Amino acid sequence: MTEKALEMLRLLEKNAAYSNALLADLLDISIDEVKNIRQTLEDQAVILGYQTLIDWTKVLNTELVTAMIEVKVTPTRGKGFDQVAERIYRFKEVKALYLMSGSYDLSITIEAQSMMEISRFVSDKLSPLDSVMSTVTHFILKKYKHDGVIFNQEEDQDPRMMVTP
């Protein structure tokens, strides 16, 4: 992978809305080169998609409840954790799923309209799976930072470091 492609990935990771023209300026290459690099990265499945991070607390009547669920599972012989992970990530509520080290095996992040919907997901969909031994559900009460973006940051806040004598 070229240095320009790596630079482009770093820029797009910070802001996927950068236009090809802006990327060309930032990378000091032509727009056609930007298009070619972007297309190659998409074709190679290095870039898997483009997402917008939204602060739903600022949109009326649209706030979702987010939960992180710790799951202990029994791995399947010959398939390990992959088989049960595939069954779980296919549920529409699942936003993220990770294999973890430590006291539990899988970490699931889900979103729903209410705590009751999350409860039903755990009791009706997740817990009945043969490989699932136990679950622990944590509800997110407030987001401070997500994917490197700080939420509820005061616009008039002075970004300079305070210096005291």
Side-chain angles (χ1 to χ4, degrees):
M1 184 170 299
T2 68
E3 188 60 38
K4 293 296 182 183
L6 286 171
E7 262 186 271
M8 182 187 292
L9 288 173
R10 289 186 191 104
L11 289 167
L12 288 173
E13 186 176 41
K14 288 181 184 173
N15 187 346
Y18 284 157
S19 68
N20 287 340
L22 179 58
L23 287 169
D25 286 344
L26 293 171
L27 297 169
D28 195 28
I29 58 177
S30 72
I31 292 175
D32 286 336
E33 287 177 283
V34 168
K35 289 178 184 177
N36 289 338
I37 292 170
R38 186 189 295 251
Q39 188 62 55
T40 299
L41 294 170
E42 290 172 357
D43 291 345
Q44 294 173 347
V46 173
I47 295 177
L48 298 174
Y50 301 91
Q51 295 184 345
T52 302
L53 184 58
I54 299 169
D55 186 351
W56 287 107
T57 63
K58 295 181 179 176
V59 182
L60 291 176
N61 302 320
T62 57
E63 195 166 350
L64 297 172
V65 178
T66 305
M68 297 177 76
I69 306 169
E70 300 173 2
V71 185
K72 288 185 182 179
V73 299
T74 305
T76 309
R77 183 177 296 268
K79 301 269 185 177
F81 295 99
D82 294 345
Q83 190 171 37
V84 68
E86 184 177 345
R87 287 198 61 198
I88 293 170
Y89 70 60
R90 293 193 182 281
F91 292 122
K92 67 177 175 52
E93 298 89 347
V94 174
K95 297 299 173 194
L97 174 62
Y98 304 100
L99 179 62
M100 305 295 292
S101 64
S103 60
Y104 57 96
D105 303 307
L106 299 174
S107 175
I108 304 170
T109 303
I110 69 167
E111 290 181 344
Q113 293 294 323
S114 67
M115 291 174 72
M116 184 55 70
E117 278 187 45
I118 291 172
S119 173
R120 279 195 290 271
F121 170 81
V122 173
S123 63
D124 298 347
K125 294 180 178 179
L126 187 59
S127 293
L129 296 175
D130 290 336
S131 296
V132 173
M133 296 175 6
S134 66
T135 65
V136 176
T137 303
H138 305 275
F139 290 95
I140 294 179
L141 303 177
K142 182 176 181 179
K143 288 183 183 177
Y144 293 101
K145 187 174 183 179
H146 182 82
D147 283 344
V149 177
I150 298 171
F151 283 67
N152 296 324
Q153 195 172 21
E154 298 294 325
E155 277 103 47
D156 59 332
Q157 190 177 20
D158 191 343
R160 296 176 293 177
M161 185 186 326
M162 183 184 306
V163 178
T164 57

